[in-house]
Amino acid sequence: MSKYAVTSGIQTSPVKTVLYGPEGIGKSTFASHFPDPVFIDTEGGTKRLNVARLPQPTSWAMLLDEVAEVRKGSVPCGTLVIDTADWAERLCIQAVCAKAKVNGIEDFGYGKGYTYAKEEFGKLLDALEEVLNTGHNVVVLAHAAITKFEQPDAVGNYDRWSMKTSKQVAPLLREWCDMLLFANYKTVVEKVGDGKNAKSKASGGRRVLYTAHHPCWDAKNRFDLPEEVPFDYASIAACIPGAMSAQAPKPEPQPRSQPEADILPSPQQEAKPVAQPQPAPLQESSEKNVLLSLGVPEKLAALMSANKVSCEELQGVVGKRGYFPEDMPIKDYPADFVEGCLIAAWPQVFQMVLDNRDIPF
């Protein structure tokens, strides 16, 4: 008999996310909507955001020490955000060069310096893995740059988006994360005119998030997300478990402008079977109409009426988790909170309602 236990089934755990995109697209703002985030801002890009942050690290050692403080629980949070990987790599390279007493990474000789930097950067990923093991989500942000790429079995090269890190560090980040997300502006190029006078004209500008690999960028996810979704936290909120750290403080009840995924457990968490909206009998239709008359959004009203959930029960769950006051009407909840949290992860919300019903008074 083996001395190792064999396990099976889906395991709920914190999520490690890497998000990259062009400068100014809103990566830091996107990360600020993760559960109880604390930023390690290596480049000073969050000064205009109302977020919790540690002091800007001035050295590689300070960066690793701040990560260690989060791991030990000295810094209460639900999500640790590294903003950004490419600026963190600069600190890493400076430390490698200082240790070897050389002026620059190229002074090591062809490729050797970047190999040393890759090994040193691996220490950060090991430290972040320990942060994950203590129950915190981890988000690593990075800038994007257009680079030349050539397939081994193809003739010629082409442009593609990649992380603005060294060629040695980028694969480490891609392999390490659960979700590799690429944010960009949706641009449409069309021909204007006829014949030799035809010109290409670009239009668009809508921000989108890519979650799957494409010849022009790297992306992946382990949650069966659509290949392209709006660049909004609600698009991935159901994939992110809430703050699991025992040290994380309970937030004060107050309205929030954006949905927070820590109200809900991971969508993979097992829950009791939940009835899905079906063509409703007369009584159920009447219950839904009552909910609609109270201003409950139609999709949410359908789920509530199908599962016999009252407004008071749902408001109790939301209020108990400390995200909105318990007496705040559902009609006043932000639309992205309703869509991204309540509806997207309804099985877990309903499970919380059932758990509250079982509490003796």
Side-chain angles (χ1 to χ4, degrees), residues 126-358:
D126 291 340
L128 293 178
E129 197 69 33
E130 294 179 2
V131 171
L132 285 155
N133 292 337
T134 59
H136 304 78
N137 298 300
V138 174
V139 178
V140 178
L141 306 179
H143 294 98
I146 297 177
T147 58
K148 292 291 183 183
F149 181 78
E150 184 174 358
Q151 291 278 15
D153 58 346
V155 178
N157 54 29
Y158 57 92
D159 292 337
R160 74 193 307 266
W161 287 98
S162 61
M163 280 184 279
K164 201 176 180 180
T165 57
S166 66
K167 294 181 180 179
Q168 290 78 11
V169 166
L172 290 180
L173 289 168
R174 292 198 301 264
E175 295 163 7
W176 170 79
C177 64
D178 297 315
M179 285 197 292
L180 176 63
L181 307 174
F182 172 53
N184 202 3
Y185 300 97
K186 185 79 170 182
T187 304
V188 178
V189 180
E190 55 186 356
K191 289 288 185 181
V192 178
D194 299 320
K196 295 181 180 181
N197 295 324
K199 295 182 179 181
S200 297
K201 181 180 179 182
S203 62
R206 179 171 57 93
R207 298 183 305 165
V208 297
L209 194 64
Y210 298 103
T211 68
H213 180 78
H214 185 276
C216 294
W217 57 78
D218 285 312
K220 70 173 187 180
N221 78 91
R222 293 170 177 162
F223 302 96
D224 197 27
L225 292 171
E227 294 185 2
E228 178 184 320
V229 296
F231 186 44
D232 189 291
Y233 179 72
S235 299
I236 66 164
C239 305
I240 310 299
M244 301 167 68
S245 171
Q247 293 81 14
K250 183 176 180 180
E252 293 296 326
Q254 57 182 355
R256 296 190 180 184
S257 59
Q258 294 292 340
E260 300 278 352
D262 47 343
I263 190 175
L264 307 171
S266 170
Q268 281 78 19
Q269 181 176 336
E270 293 184 3
K272 296 179 183 179
V274 179
Q276 296 299 320
Q278 301 292 335
L282 181 60
Q283 181 180 356
E284 186 173 313
S285 297
S286 176
E287 293 173 353
K288 180 180 177 181
N289 290 335
V290 171
L291 293 171
L292 292 174
S293 68
L294 295 174
V296 178
E298 185 172 1
K299 292 181 181 179
L300 182 59
L303 291 167
M304 292 174 63
S305 62
N307 292 279
K308 310 298 182 186
V309 175
S310 68
C311 290
E312 291 75 14
E313 288 178 319
L314 185 58
Q315 290 171 223
V317 166
V318 174
K320 188 175 181 182
R321 301 295 292 189
Y323 289 92
F324 296 99
E326 191 168 336
D327 59 354
M328 182 177 179
I330 296 175
K331 66 181 179 63
D332 294 335
Y333 290 171
D336 48 7
F337 175 81
V338 173
E339 288 284 343
C341 290
L342 298 181
I343 295 174
W346 175 255
Q348 286 73 38
V349 176
F350 182 57
Q351 183 62 57
M352 293 181 199
V353 172
L354 294 179
D355 292 342
N356 282 352
R357 289 176 180 172
D358 293 338

Side-chain angles (χ1 to χ4, degrees), residues 68-91:
E69 287 297 299
V70 175
R71 175 187 59 79
K72 290 186 291 187
S74 304
V75 180
C77 71
T79 304
L80 175 61
V81 182
I82 305 296
D83 188 2
T84 58
D86 33 305
W87 279 64
E89 187 183 16
R90 293 176 61 179
L91 297 175

